[in-house]
């Protein structure tokens, strides 16, 4: 059972970054407990519409109950945002005024004792966002080679002791529960006072691997641009440096007219900017927000706006082609 509630992070900043307007259409790719979604629906009233997506069927159930009062203005679907364009075509929901990603897990999922996301509770090592996924954290822990585990823990957890941890895991297998894994890591690398729990980075690595978080984020960001109407906003809140790096590099690259290596004197890439950065600096929570909601402390919000690219004027970008396809396939209420 899910417990407690999820406090939406950077709520006011998100609504401002999305420039939510009455009658606008928005996609919340990470619906969670529906906190951001409710605020978007309130601000876009009258006439606003929201497509809310979550890979976790439990999250959809909770958000449906919470957003019931918005009736047909909120369309909530249990899907993975890696399929963002296909979802929008299926539900005829494009182009839109804004797209939000509030990445990671909700407090509801972290507090759910049976999901295995947290080492605060003993539970089977599952960590899947959806029961329809085949591979669990236990599968990865108990079947990967020592080298594969070390690589995964280093790459996705940025863990300095990845080899030591992987070696210990292979010696102690099978490992079935969160506490068994957390205690074993603590024994392997020790616990220095004042530092994060020694298992934190390994748990992050496993969660990222089980849910293909980084690959899905990269794929979804690329799809998101093509769904934005002109001046539409893309807002992403990330919670660790690996996610934030992907978002930052993506937004920077898409806001440049040329992405040739610096030693090339005349542009050969033909790339044209499709985004404009709204804030050059990342937006972080205030001290007051962190005090009220400690889980917000690592949040980093980035925002960019869709612009008509030179390439689009010349009708030769994939964006243009996709837009043509959308026009042909749907009757959407276009911006
Ligand atoms: C931080 S929570 C969002 C909280 C939400 N903004 C709110 O105010 O309640 C992140 C949510 O994104 C979902 N999620 C993460 N990766 C996803 C993916 N690839 N596709 C769909 N949903 C995903 C998680 O299941 C979780 O419910």
């Amino acid at each position: 059972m899910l417990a407690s509630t999820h406090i939406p992070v950077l709520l006011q900043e998100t609504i401002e970054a999305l420039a939510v307007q009455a009658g606008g259409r928005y996609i919340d790719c990470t619906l969670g407990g529906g906190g951001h979604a409710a605020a978007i629906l309130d601000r876009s009233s009258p006439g606003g519409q929201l497509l809310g997506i979550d890979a976790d069927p439990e999250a959809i159930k909770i958000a449906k109950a919470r957003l019931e009062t918005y009736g047909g203005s909120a369309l909530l679907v249990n899907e993975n945002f890696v399929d963002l364009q296909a979802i929008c075509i299926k539900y005829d929901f494009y182009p839109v005024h804004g797209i939000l990603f509030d990445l990671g897990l909700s407090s509801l999922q972290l507090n759910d004792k049976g999901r295995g996301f947290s080492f605060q509770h003993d539970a089977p090592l599952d960590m899947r966002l959806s029961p329809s996924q085949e591979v669990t954290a236990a599968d990865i822990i108990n079947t990967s080679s020592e080298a594969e585990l070390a690589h995964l823990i280093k790459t996705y957890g940025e863990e300095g002791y990845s080899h030591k941890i992987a070696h210990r895991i292979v010696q102690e297998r099978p490992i079935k529960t969160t506490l068994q894994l957390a205690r074993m890591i603590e024994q392997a690398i020790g616990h220095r006072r004042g530092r994060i729990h020694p298992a934190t980075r390994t748990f992050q690595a496993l969660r990222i691997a089980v849910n293909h978080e980084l690959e899905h984020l990269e794929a979804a960001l690329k799809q998101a641009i093509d769904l934005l109407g002109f001046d539409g906003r893309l807002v992403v809140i990330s919670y660790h440096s690996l996610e934030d790096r992907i978002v930052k590099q993506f937004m920077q690259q898409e806001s440049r007219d040329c992405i040739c290596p610096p030693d090339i004197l005349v542009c050969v890439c033909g790339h044209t900017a499709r985004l404009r950065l709204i804030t050059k600096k990342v937006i972080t929570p205030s001290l007051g927000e962190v005090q009220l909601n400690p889980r917000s402390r690592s949040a980093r919000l980035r925002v960019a706006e869709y612009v008509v690219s030179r390439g689009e004027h010349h009708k030769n970008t994939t964006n243009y082609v996709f837009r043509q396809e959308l026009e042909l396939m749907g009757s959407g209420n276009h911006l």
Side-chain angles (χ1 to χ4, degrees):
M1 271 294 290
L2 299 185
S4 90
T5 54
H6 176 86
I7 305 171
V9 171
L10 289 167
L11 184 59
Q12 198 47 42
E13 293 85 345
T14 301
I15 297 302
E16 277 164 28
L18 282 168
V20 178
Q21 52 183 283
R25 270 204 297 189
Y26 299 90
I27 305 173
D28 183 346
C29 296
T30 49
L31 187 62
H36 284 109
I40 293 169
L41 283 159
D42 286 338
R43 188 64 77 90
S44 63
S45 170
Q49 288 177 302
L50 177 118
L51 172 63
I53 300 170
D54 206 294
D56 182 349
E58 284 296 317
I60 291 290
K61 244 191 255 169
I62 289 172
K64 272 197 173 148
R66 174 163 188 187
L67 302 176
E68 206 179 354
T69 48
Y70 297 96
S73 304
L75 173 61
L76 311 183
V77 298
N78 180 208
E79 305 263 10
N80 193 303
F81 62 58
V82 72
D83 300 316
L84 188 57
Q85 278 185 1
I87 298 166
C88 291
I89 290 173
K90 181 171 164 190
Y91 293 100
D92 197 13
F93 204 91
Y94 57 82
V96 294
H97 293 86
I99 301 180
L100 170 66
F101 291 86
D102 176 24
L103 299 167
L105 296 178
S106 69
S107 308
L108 303 165
Q109 290 161 322
L110 283 165
N111 294 344
D112 186 340
K113 295 186 177 145
R115 302 287 292 269
F117 288 121
S118 160
F119 46 81
Q120 307 296 334
H121 323 283
D122 200 16
L125 274 168
D126 188 323
M127 300 198 191
R128 293 170 299 167
L129 285 180
S130 162
S132 65
Q133 293 167 229
E134 280 176 14
V135 179
T136 66
D139 294 330
I140 293 177
I141 283 282
N142 292 311
T143 63
S144 305
S145 70
E146 185 175 326
E148 284 167 343
L149 282 173
H151 180 70
L152 183 151
I153 296 167
K154 170 113 189 121
T155 314
Y156 293 154
E158 300 185 290
E159 169 62 71
Y161 296 103
S162 58
H163 286 281
K164 231 174 171 176
I165 294 172
H167 185 66
R168 189 65 170 257
I169 288 173
V170 171
Q171 280 183 329
E172 304 261 334
R173 291 196 297 209
I175 297 166
K176 293 194 173 143
T177 73
T178 51
L179 283 194
Q180 195 187 348
L181 179 63
R183 286 192 190 125
M184 198 213 67
I185 295 171
E186 196 170 0
Q187 282 161 12
I189 65 173
H191 192 168
R192 286 199 219 127
R193 274 223 318 226
R195 294 276 182 94
I196 55 169
H197 189 284
T200 307
R201 292 176 188 279
T202 302
F203 270 65
Q204 172 184 304
L206 282 169
R207 201 195 81 203
I208 291 175
V210 167
N211 297 298
H212 306 282
E213 289 182 21
L214 304 184
E215 298 97 308
H216 287 182
L217 174 60
E218 276 184 293
L221 288 176
K222 286 185 193 142
Q223 298 171 50
I225 290 198
D226 291 322
L227 296 163
L228 288 170
F230 301 126
D231 299 339
R233 294 282 179 95
L234 174 63
V235 176
V236 188
I237 308 173
S238 55
Y239 294 87
H240 57 75
S241 57
L242 297 172
E243 284 171 346
D244 187 52
R245 201 172 303 146
I246 289 173
V247 179
K248 181 178 171 186
Q249 285 174 358
F250 175 80
M251 287 188 174
Q252 279 178 347
Q253 171 149 324
E254 288 302 334
S255 60
R256 281 165 52 193
D257 265 339
C258 167
I259 52 170
C260 290
D263 53 332
I264 294 202
L265 297 177
V266 180
C267 172
V268 289
C269 69
H271 187 268
T272 51
R274 295 189 294 162
L275 291 180
R276 180 173 74 86
L277 300 181
I278 295 297
T279 51
K280 295 264 179 314
K281 279 183 88 181
V282 72
I283 298 170
T284 53
S286 65
L287 209 61
E289 176 168 359
V290 174
Q291 274 165 356
L292 278 174
N293 179 15
R295 276 186 185 154
S296 70
R297 66 187 174 276
S298 52
R300 300 169 78 78
L301 184 152
R302 295 187 186 271
V303 53
E305 185 175 83
Y306 182 75
V307 290
V308 185
S309 67
R310 280 190 289 119
E312 234 177 356
H313 286 311
H314 294 125
K315 303 187 174 181
N316 64 357
T317 61
T318 49
N319 181 285
Y320 180 81
V321 173
F322 179 71
R323 280 164 187 273
Q324 292 283 296
E325 279 169 13
L326 288 181
E327 300 281 338
L328 287 173
M329 290 175 75
S331 60
N333 207 359
H334 300 280
L335 297 178

